[in-house]
Amino acid sequence: MKQLQVKTHQGEYPIYIGDGCLNELTPFIQKATQVVVITDETVYELHYQTLAHVLSKEALVYVIKPGEASKSFEVYHAIQTFLIQNQVDRKALILAFGGGVVGDLAGFVAATYMRGIDFIQVPTTLLAHDSAVGGKVAINHELGKNLIGAFYPPKAVIYELPLLATLSDKEWRSGLAEMVKHGFISDEVLLKTLMSFHTLDPLQEEIFAALLMQSLMVKKNVVEMDEFEKGSRAFLNFGHTFGHAIELDEKSLSHGEAVAIGIIFALYLSKKTFKIDLAIDDYISYLKQLNFPLFLKADRATQYMNYMLHDKKNEQHQIRFVLLKEVGNPVLVTFSEEELKPMLQQFLNEMTKEVRVCH
Ligand SMILES: NC(=O)c1ccc[n+]([C@@H]2O[C@H](COP(=O)([O-])OP(=O)(O)OC[C@H]3O[C@@H](n4cnc5c(N)ncnc54)[C@H](O)[C@@H]3O)[C@@H](O)[C@H]2O)c1
Ligand SMILES: [Zn+2]
């Protein structure tokens, strides 16, 4: 087991990572008047017994339906009602036991119930190495993702890696894309090592735990430098401007699978803007080897543009991208709709014809 500390405006919290770290929950549970576990049906079925084993107190459990649709006002309200009806008090502890959906939702519940009660992230997906660290919690509005939220750091992140063994390949890919993103924005060695894997198989091994640790370090360093996203934290959105558009347009993709495609466009724009070679073909080959679904449709430029124009991070109708001057050197660049649309169309034409990404 390894430990990292994350500094926030409210003090520090630990991240425990490895095999057996669920036991680190004990002191937090002993201190709490009540424990409330928020999880989803899949994680409950697969892993609740493992968690229950280390809970010394009887816990209240709220189980949501798996998937992004649960990050809603309705589910948020239902959980608040559950807490009130069960007379959960200010000294209770919420455990967010699941992937990024559970983490974001349970974190926002914790941030707002009685003006804030303690919560601990117990992530169970690879992607959640990203979402559980940094204190951003949120639910969705029907007009956009993550629009209602807070910066609310957990008391700890407890990352029990054996729980990841039941993830599907799709979920592995999703988390891997965020690791690759961390490589692109800050660590060429991490990037090159990740891209040297040609199958998903090594993901279960020791070497992978070391890479995951490096990826966590990137996230930790970025959020410590800019907890409230006044500047450099935005670099974590590398691949996300176009990635979110793809995610909204093609519902069969997981978040990370869409981000992986978003990264292709960010590399393309970086090449155009800074006249640099970022080995885009190597990156696409890597994604293909790992069977990433590379949905890109040449006739959907207008729809993609509309999704990007509605991104909450835009200011004054400018579309904001994180681009790279080189690997490890991200910069924020904004484009007007008129500037971006022809570049997007050219990108889609080239990708769907020459690289034959998808039709
Ligand atoms: N707060 C942040 O900083 C931040 C950062 C990145 C992403 N996010 C959010 O994270 C969410 C995506 O997270 P996610 O990909 O973990 O999604 P998720 O929570 O929906 O999990 C993906 C799927 O995996 C299943 N699952 C979870 N753990 C499992 C396990 N151990 N074995 C088998 N199946 C398991 C879930 O039931 C679900 O069906 C999005 O809502 C995104 O907005 C937040
Ligand atoms: Zn992401």
Side-chain angles (χ1 to χ4, degrees), residues 136 145-147 244 308-315:
K136 272 196 190 180
K145 251 177 80 103
N146 298 328
L147 291 181
H244 279 150
M308 286 193 280
L309 280 163
H310 288 108
D311 193 306
K312 70 168 185 275
K313 301 209 164 65
N314 292 335
E315 281 161 21

Side-chain angles (χ1 to χ4, degrees), residues 57 73 126 132 232 344:
K57 290 195 171 94
F73 274 103
L126 182 59
S232 55
L344 174 64

Side-chain angles (χ1 to χ4, degrees), residues 169-288:
D169 283 359
K170 188 177 180 67
E171 297 309 332
W172 278 110
R173 277 193 284 269
S174 189
L176 200 52
E178 299 282 12
M179 293 177 75
V180 167
K181 174 197 79 180
H182 288 150
F184 269 117
I185 61 170
S186 58
D187 187 342
E188 188 160 21
V189 179
L190 173 63
L191 178 69
K192 290 222 157 109
T193 317
L194 285 169
M195 283 180 48
S196 68
F197 291 121
H198 301 310
T199 71
L200 289 172
D201 299 342
L203 297 183
Q204 322 281 346
E205 292 168 12
E206 194 79 344
I207 175 154
F208 186 69
L211 292 172
L212 186 53
M213 192 71 184
Q214 286 173 40
S215 186
L216 267 168
M217 287 289 287
V218 173
K219 174 89 193 219
K220 166 189 139 73
N221 291 338
V222 172
V223 300
E224 280 185 343
M225 269 178 15
D226 179 20
E227 186 179 354
F228 300 111
E229 200 164 332
K230 303 265 186 254
S232 55
R233 184 169 177 159
F235 296 152
L236 292 168
N237 294 320
F238 179 63
H240 282 60
T241 310
F242 188 54
H244 279 150
I246 292 284
E247 191 176 7
L248 288 165
D249 197 61
E250 183 53 60
K251 299 279 188 289
S252 68
L253 296 178
S254 64
H255 174 73
E257 287 174 336
V259 168
I261 298 171
I263 290 176
I264 306 177
F265 188 45
L267 293 175
Y268 180 88
L269 287 178
S270 303
K271 185 177 167 185
K272 290 260 169 224
T273 309
F274 302 117
K275 316 281 176 247
I276 38 147
D277 179 18
L278 284 162
I280 300 179
D281 290 349
D282 291 351
Y283 173 64
I284 292 174
S285 309
Y286 164 74
L287 295 179
K288 284 184 170 176

